[in-house]
């Protein structure tokens, strides 16, 4: 180790000292006085040199900034300082310390190991002979070299002035470069934020990062209608960091610090950015951002020029981003909200369910599907405006009853979807929203609804699957009647799959002509003669008979019922022709027509067309329509039936007594026959009923001037009772089971033989 070298003592003279104190840099500083001092490090094992240097620089300001001197007395000490502190702008470095080249080794370490390219290095040596080679100077970016004997105070300050200026410029460039890089990265991160809250959230974080600020206390507010009338209550906090986050959505008046409120207002009224000692307030005009926005940054210091410039670049980026977010919100509103009710729509519900399903731990969420009962009829009877008003009031009540964060959405028409936690959502809560009547145009209207529940944690699949499950359960709930509630369970799914399978097979059966008819006779109870036959469809699938009650409702839910109708009528026509060909007088053939078939407005013309093609008079045909089908769309069905009767065809009301006919309609029933439902025939023998309903239907038919037939007659007691009570006709196993055409022919031939023998004897 070398001992401190007295030869190396500095030669700063008295005159130089005067110079030194008079020294003022020529350039006016672009940096303002509160800027931190320059950090200069002197590295020398010569304590005298260190002392005189410190004395020479005491009280000196360069570019209006004082100098803060740090001293190191060895290469090792200097290395530690440089590695742990980045503040040094210039290092005055003695070449010879622990070793002859200790200084040069430190230079190498600064540039190569620490990677510090900005710090300025001035080599100082006691002897001219120790000057480094020129290529070493340039390789390690050694900026100045001088011997201690040359180093007067003024030379020292001249060197420091020049090196500190260079350091400052390099620093500015690298800060700007890093800043620009940050802006690009920040802007990229902001690109995928499409809603205002998450955009502001991200933008505030990015600004804080850019300026190296603590994000706490950063506020972004949206100022609507501010410049027509400066009403600061319309200035709403749309983004905030740290503790202030819970104020998002509230007025800036609720901010705890008046300094922030005043700063925000000042920028809004000035419609410009505002710089304060401790804060910067950025203003984004609505022309650029879709609405006026203002961001408060508690910088707690005055920003540097470079920082200010970076902020401006970033602010213009944010401006564009805010504008995009505004556009996106508008698009979002169009895509995710219901135009009529101004509540979220099906897309919004799907999005919310999908988000919930994607979370790792499925939240305990319940999806309710609510379908108002009888709404189509209300719309039809009272008009669309009335229906809309009803929907508005109902949606309003739902939103009141099930407050946010529960999502109340409209899936379509009169169907609503509700998503919320088990604790806050239930079918009974929805029902409570229907407890009181709705008041529309002075009319008080009570409504009911069918409600189904789907527990999200049991859903396999996505939002669409969850909604489909709810709708599937809804179908079942509706089938069970108005006001019904039901929870989705997997068995429903199985029955849906079964239905789909049946539908598929039925379609195939129709194509392969596997469907056929059975005929069941109707008997005139007073004469015992055959009064008609009812055609009943039959389907044997792989040797197994599928009852009509299993497949007719499924056919009714699709368009297959229309094809079945055509097959049945065509077969009946062929049966009539066959009977005629073998010399039998065909009785009236009764055909069951489903209510759904009447949705085809050309039903009667197409029936007449088929009859005409087979040259059969409508007089041979009776259409059986159930009372329920009749009541479901009385006007449409009765108009069609009237049209059929005009051509000579007959009409019977099937299953009478089960469809709750309104008395108002009874007089207008366009029918020749009422058919007592077999459940009432079965009650003839019951001890408490004694056939009271059957008897009532018989009397009703008399009054309406109609024929009456009892179906499902199985025994003599029923038969006797019906005769005693003047029922016209009977149908049932007692007289004949449904039979194939061949068996029917034998049956008819046998009976006509019996009649002949009877008349001969
Ligand atoms: P529906 O029109 O009321 O037919 C009478 C049903 O009662 C038939 O059942 C018949 O077999 C059954 N039945 C007849 N006599 C007795 C009896 O003494 N006791 C008992 N327990 N039952 C008796 P099926 O053939 O199973 O038909 C059931 C329903 O399917 C029919 O009720 C009708 O609504 C519908 N249907 C049958 N064929 C057709 C068709 O071609 N088109 C349409 N749209 N529906 C049909
Ligand atoms: Mg029938
Ligand atoms: Mg019936």
């Amino acid at each position: 180790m070398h001992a401190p070298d007295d030869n190396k003592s500095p030669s700063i003279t008295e005159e130089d000292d005067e110079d030194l104190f008079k020294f003022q840099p020529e350039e006016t500083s672009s940096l303002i006085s509160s800027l931190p001092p320059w950090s200069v490090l002197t590295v020398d094992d010569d304590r005298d040199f260190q002392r005189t240097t410190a004395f020479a620089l005491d009280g000196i300001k360069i570019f209006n900034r004082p100098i803060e001197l740090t001293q190191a007395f060895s290469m090792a000490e200097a290395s530690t300082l440089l590695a742990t502190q980045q503040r040094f702008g210039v290092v005055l470095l003695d070449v010879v310390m622990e070793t002859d080249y200790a200084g040069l080794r430190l230079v190498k370490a600064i540039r190569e190991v620490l990677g510090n390219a900005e710090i300025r290095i001035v080599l100082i040596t006691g002897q001219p002979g120790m000057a480094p080679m020129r290529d070493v100077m340039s390789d390690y970016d050694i900026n100045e070299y001088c011997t201690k004997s040359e180093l007067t105070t003024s030379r020292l300050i001249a060197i420091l002035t020049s090196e500190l200026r260079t350091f400052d410029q390099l620093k500015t460039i690298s800060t700007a470069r890093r800043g620009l890089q940050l802006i690009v990265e920040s802007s990229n991160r902001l690109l995928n934020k499409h809603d205002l809250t998450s955009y502001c959230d991200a933008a505030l974080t990015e600004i804080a990062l850019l300026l190296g600020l603590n994000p706490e206390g950063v506020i972004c507010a949206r100022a609507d209608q501010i410049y027509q009338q400066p009403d600061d209550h319309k200035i709403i906090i749309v983004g905030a960091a740290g503790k202030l986050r819970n104020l998002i959505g509230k007025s800036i008046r609720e901010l705890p610090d008046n300094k922030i409120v005043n700063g925000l207002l000042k920028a809004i009224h000035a419609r410009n950015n505002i710089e304060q000692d401790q804060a910067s307030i950025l203003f984004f005009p609505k022309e650029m951002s879709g609405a006026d926005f203002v961001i408060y940054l508690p910088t707690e210091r005055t920003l540097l020029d470079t920082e200010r410039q970076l902020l401006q670049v970033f602010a213009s980026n944010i401006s564009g981003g805010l504008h995009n977010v505004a556009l996106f919100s508008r698009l979002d509103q169009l895509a995710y909200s219901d135009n009529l009710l101004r509540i979220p729509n099906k897309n919004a519900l799907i999005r919310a369910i999908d988000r919930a399903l994607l979370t790792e731990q499925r939240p305990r969420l319940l999806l309710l599907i609510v379908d108002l009962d009888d709404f189509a009829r209300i719309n039809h009877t009272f008009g669309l405006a009335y229906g809309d008003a009803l929907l508005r009031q109902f949606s309003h009540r739902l939103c009141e009853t099930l407050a946010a964060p529960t999502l109340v959405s409209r899936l379509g028409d009169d169907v609503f979807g509700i998503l919320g936690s088990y604790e806050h959502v239930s079918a009974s809560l929805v029902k409570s929203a229907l407890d009181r009547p709705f008041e529309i145009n002075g009319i008080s209207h009570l409504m009911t609804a069918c409600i189904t529940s789907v527990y999200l944690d049991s859903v396999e699949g996505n939002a669409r699957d969850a909604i489909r499950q709810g709708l599937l359960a809804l179908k079942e709930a509706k089938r069970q009647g108005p006001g019904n509630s039901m929870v989705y369970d997997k068995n429903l799914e199985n029955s849906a799959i079964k239905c789909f399978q049946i539908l598929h097979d039925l379609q195939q059966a129709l194509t392969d002509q596997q469907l056929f008819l059975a005929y069941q006779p109707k008997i005139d109870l007073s004469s015992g003669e055959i009064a008609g036959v009812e055609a009943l469809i039959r389907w044997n699938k792989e040797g197994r008979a599928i009852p009509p009650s299993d497949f007719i409702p499924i056919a009714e839910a699709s368009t297959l019922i229309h094809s079945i109708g055509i097959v049945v009528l065509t077969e009946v026509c062929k049966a009539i022709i066959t009977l005629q060909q073998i010399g039998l007088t065909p009785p009236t053939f009764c055909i069951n027509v489903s209510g759904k078939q009447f949705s085809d407005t050309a039903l009667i013309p197409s029936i007449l067309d088929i009859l005409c093609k087979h040259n059969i008079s409508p007089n041979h045909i009776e259409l059986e329509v159930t009372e329920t089908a009749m009541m479901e769309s009385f006007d449409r069905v009765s108009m069609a039936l009237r049209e059929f009767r005009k051509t000579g065809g007959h009409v019977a009301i099937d299953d009478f007594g089960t469809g709750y006919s309104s008395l108002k309609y009874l007089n207008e029933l366009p029918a020749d026959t009422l058919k007592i439902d077999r459940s009432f025939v079965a009650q003839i023998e019951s001890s408490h009923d004694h056939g009271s309903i059957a008897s009532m239907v018989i009397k009703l038919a008399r009054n309406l001037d109609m024929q009456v037939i009892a179906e499902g007659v199985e025994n003599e007691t029923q038969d006797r009772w019906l005769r005693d009570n003047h029922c016209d006709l009977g149908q049932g196993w007692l007289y004949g089971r449904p039979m194939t055409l061949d068996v029917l022919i034998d049956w008819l031939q046998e009976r006509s033989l019996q009649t002949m023998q009877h008349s001969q004897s």
Side-chain angles (χ1 to χ4, degrees):
M1 196 182 310
H2 285 237
D5 180 0
D6 280 341
N7 295 337
K8 289 195 283 174
S9 297
S11 56
I12 298 172
T13 60
E14 290 289 316
E15 317 93 79
D16 288 335
D17 281 344
E18 274 180 47
D19 265 17
L20 188 93
F21 291 114
K22 276 189 232 149
F23 176 84
Q24 281 301 322
E26 285 143 32
E27 294 124 290
T28 46
S29 172
S30 61
L31 308 167
I32 39 183
S33 55
S34 63
L35 293 180
W38 300 111
S39 275
V40 173
L41 176 67
T42 53
V43 188
D44 201 322
D45 54 0
D46 177 350
R47 289 184 184 275
D48 284 343
F49 176 77
Q50 290 276 28
R51 206 175 307 117
T52 41
T53 309
F55 180 71
L57 295 179
D58 185 34
I60 288 293
K61 281 188 174 175
I62 292 179
F63 300 122
N64 231 0
R65 290 165 66 176
I67 289 176
E68 181 194 73
L69 192 71
T70 308
Q71 298 177 324
F73 295 90
S74 66
M75 185 192 92
E77 195 184 345
S79 312
T80 315
L81 277 169
L82 286 161
T84 52
Q85 300 177 21
Q86 265 89 56
R87 60 200 167 97
F88 301 109
V90 174
V91 56
L92 300 174
L93 178 61
D94 186 16
V95 180
V96 183
M97 285 178 291
E98 294 97 319
T99 62
D100 280 354
Y101 295 100
L104 288 178
R105 278 184 55 206
L106 184 61
V107 172
K108 197 167 155 50
I110 292 173
R111 297 297 188 220
E112 289 183 354
V113 181
L114 297 179
N116 188 341
E118 288 144 20
I119 195 167
R120 299 296 82 202
I121 300 173
V122 179
L123 279 185
I124 293 170
T125 179
Q127 289 142 24
M130 297 306 290
M133 308 283 288
R134 194 167 283 282
D135 53 348
V136 176
M137 295 272 293
S138 67
D139 281 358
Y140 293 112
D141 191 20
I142 296 169
N143 313 103
E144 190 66 71
Y145 168 80
C146 73
T147 59
K148 285 182 179 171
S149 56
E150 293 166 346
L151 197 65
T152 60
T153 303
S154 43
R155 173 110 169 93
L156 174 64
I157 290 178
I159 288 174
L160 283 181
T161 304
S162 152
E163 294 310 320
L164 285 170
R165 187 202 293 123
T166 311
F167 169 74
D168 194 45
Q169 283 164 349
L170 285 173
K171 195 87 193 155
T172 307
I173 291 168
S174 89
T175 310
R177 191 184 299 131
R178 215 179 56 240
L180 285 171
Q181 198 178 334
L182 273 176
I183 288 179
V184 172
E185 285 167 9
S186 299
S187 305
N188 283 343
R189 279 193 292 268
L190 287 176
L191 269 180
N192 61 354
K193 305 284 180 251
H194 295 312
D195 66 288
L196 191 58
T197 315
S198 63
Y199 185 86
C200 288
D201 214 35
L204 296 184
T205 314
E206 295 299 336
I207 291 182
L209 200 73
L210 194 69
L211 302 180
L213 305 175
N214 174 3
E216 185 74 45
V218 179
I219 285 288
C220 176
R222 177 190 170 118
D224 287 318
Q225 304 168 4
I226 190 68
Y227 43 86
Q228 283 99 348
Q229 206 175 12
D231 174 6
D232 52 78
H233 287 281
K234 297 263 164 57
I235 308 172
I236 302 299
I237 298 169
V238 288
K243 283 192 221 91
L244 299 178
R245 277 190 69 87
N246 60 354
L247 292 181
I248 292 177
K250 305 215 166 121
S251 158
I252 58 165
R253 279 294 178 205
E254 303 209 12
L255 283 165
D257 189 345
N258 258 345
K259 214 168 60 197
I260 305 181
V261 181
N262 293 338
L264 290 170
L265 286 176
K266 226 168 156 184
I268 288 167
H269 291 138
R271 303 194 56 69
N272 217 334
N273 297 343
I274 290 199
E275 280 285 329
Q276 294 179 341
D277 283 353
Q278 304 284 305
S280 281
I281 302 122
L282 304 174
F283 179 75
F284 302 92
K286 86 191 241 176
E287 301 76 49
M288 300 283 290
S289 323
D292 285 342
F293 284 91
V294 59
I295 292 183
Y296 183 92
L297 300 169
T299 50
E300 285 166 6
R301 60 178 168 84
T302 311
L303 293 182
L304 299 174
D305 272 356
T306 40
E307 292 178 317
R308 221 172 288 134
Q309 283 156 8
L310 284 178
L311 203 56
Q312 261 169 25
V313 176
F314 192 51
S316 71
N317 253 340
I318 291 189
S319 243
L322 284 171
H323 194 73
N324 285 344
V325 167
L327 270 179
F328 206 86
S329 315
R330 181 79 195 105
L331 289 176
D332 193 84
Q333 200 193 343
L334 286 176
Y336 292 100
S337 102
D338 182 81
N339 260 347
L340 175 72
L341 304 181
R342 305 258 168 234
I343 58 172
N345 63 8
K346 185 176 179 181
N347 292 340
L349 181 68
I350 289 177
R351 183 170 61 174
I353 298 175
D354 272 337
R355 279 181 185 164
L357 289 177
L358 277 176
T359 50
E360 239 166 65
Q361 227 187 0
R362 293 210 169 174
R364 291 159 53 80
L365 288 182
L366 186 63
L367 167 68
L368 295 185
I369 308 273
V370 182
D371 186 331
L372 288 171
D373 294 320
D374 217 16
F375 185 75
R377 197 183 55 76
I378 291 169
N379 238 348
H380 185 70
T381 317
F382 298 98
L384 287 179
Y386 189 94
D388 286 354
L390 201 62
L391 284 177
R392 269 195 214 101
Q393 287 196 20
F394 178 55
S395 123
H396 190 70
R397 279 214 201 147
L398 278 182
C399 294
E400 261 178 2
T401 317
L402 302 152
T406 298
L407 178 91
V408 175
S409 66
R410 185 188 184 197
L411 291 185
D413 300 335
D414 57 337
V415 185
F416 291 78
I418 295 163
L419 184 71
S421 66
Y422 292 181
E423 293 78 29
H424 297 119
V425 171
S426 67
S428 56
L429 267 176
V430 173
K431 284 202 167 143
S432 73
L434 293 162
D435 276 353
R436 291 165 290 132
F438 297 98
E439 297 290 332
I440 294 150
N441 303 338
I443 304 169
S444 172
H445 208 127
L446 253 179
M447 294 287 292
T448 58
C450 281
I451 305 162
T452 57
S453 320
V454 179
Y455 289 90
L456 277 208
D457 48 9
S458 64
V459 170
E460 286 165 16
N462 57 20
R464 286 178 195 281
D465 293 308
I467 294 175
R468 190 183 47 75
Q469 291 177 356
L471 291 175
L472 189 71
L474 188 68
K475 232 182 207 174
E476 188 53 28
K478 288 238 127 185
R479 208 181 56 76
Q480 291 183 13
N484 234 292
S485 301
M486 176 168 276
V487 177
Y488 167 82
D489 90 83
K490 251 202 156 120
N491 292 331
L492 282 170
E493 192 89 19
N494 295 339
S495 68
I497 292 168
K498 209 171 113 196
C499 281
F500 186 76
Q501 186 64 48
I502 291 180
L503 196 63
H504 175 265
D505 294 348
L506 187 58
Q507 171 90 62
Q508 197 57 46
L510 266 166
T511 316
D512 298 348
Q513 300 184 338
Q514 285 171 13
L515 301 177
F516 62 97
L517 295 180
Y519 300 92
Q520 186 177 34
K522 296 180 174 184
I523 304 298
D524 183 322
L525 291 181
S526 53
S527 68
E529 288 190 0
I530 182 155
V533 286
E534 180 175 6
L536 295 162
I537 195 143
R538 293 290 175 261
W539 177 19
N540 281 346
K541 187 169 165 269
E542 291 150 13
R544 194 170 58 89
I546 315 264
S549 55
D550 275 10
F551 67 88
I552 290 290
I554 296 172
E556 282 176 337
S558 74
T559 53
L560 280 190
I561 196 68
H562 299 288
S563 316
I564 289 180
I566 292 169
V567 168
V568 171
L569 183 61
T570 310
E571 282 305 302
V572 162
C573 289
K574 286 184 193 161
I576 293 173
I577 293 168
T578 308
L579 293 187
Q580 283 169 338
Q581 282 169 350
I582 53 177
L584 286 167
T585 312
T588 305
F589 273 72
C590 307
I591 293 172
N592 290 288
V593 183
S594 152
K596 297 287 179 299
Q597 286 175 259
F598 290 91
S599 63
D600 174 7
T601 47
L603 174 69
I604 302 302
S606 62
I607 290 176
L608 296 174
D609 192 41
I610 294 172
L611 291 175
C612 181
K613 274 190 188 133
H614 291 87
N615 200 21
I616 288 167
S617 155
N619 187 32
H620 283 293
I621 305 292
E622 183 168 75
L623 302 182
E624 283 193 13
V625 183
T626 64
E627 188 189 12
T628 312
M630 194 74 219
M631 290 306 135
E632 261 169 17
S633 354
F634 187 84
D635 291 343
R636 193 192 320 160
V637 177
S638 59
M639 200 169 82
L641 294 178
R642 249 181 254 122
E643 191 185 340
F644 184 64
R645 288 181 82 207
K646 269 192 210 148
T647 66
H650 309 282
V651 171
I653 307 297
D654 207 350
D655 305 343
F656 193 81
T658 59
Y660 310 105
S661 288
S662 119
L663 285 174
K664 173 178 162 242
Y665 291 125
L666 280 178
N667 270 327
E668 298 171 28
L669 281 178
D672 308 272
T673 308
L674 285 189
K675 211 168 171 185
I676 306 171
D677 188 69
R678 73 167 185 267
S679 58
F680 304 126
V681 174
Q683 281 172 24
I684 287 172
E685 292 160 285
S686 98
S687 53
H688 62 274
D689 181 88
H690 301 296
S692 63
I693 298 180
S695 145
M696 207 178 67
V697 177
I698 295 168
K699 283 179 192 137
L700 188 70
R702 281 290 153 271
N703 289 340
L704 296 171
D705 206 15
M706 288 187 205
Q707 212 179 24
V708 61
I709 176 170
E711 66 176 6
V713 185
E714 292 181 355
N715 57 47
E716 300 289 348
T717 318
Q718 292 164 347
D719 175 71
R720 198 168 319 112
W721 187 95
L722 289 164
R723 285 171 205 270
D724 292 349
N725 284 274
H726 312 289
C727 181
D728 301 311
L729 309 175
Q731 177 186 356
W733 296 345
L734 179 70
Y735 316 112
R737 293 205 174 217
M739 52 193 94
T740 59
L741 183 60
D742 290 343
V743 178
L744 177 73
I745 289 169
D746 291 347
W747 193 85
L748 287 173
Q749 281 173 335
E750 204 175 302
R751 286 187 74 96
S752 75
L753 205 67
Q754 278 173 9
T755 316
M756 270 167 56
Q757 283 168 354
H758 190 74
S759 59
Q760 278 166 9
S761 60

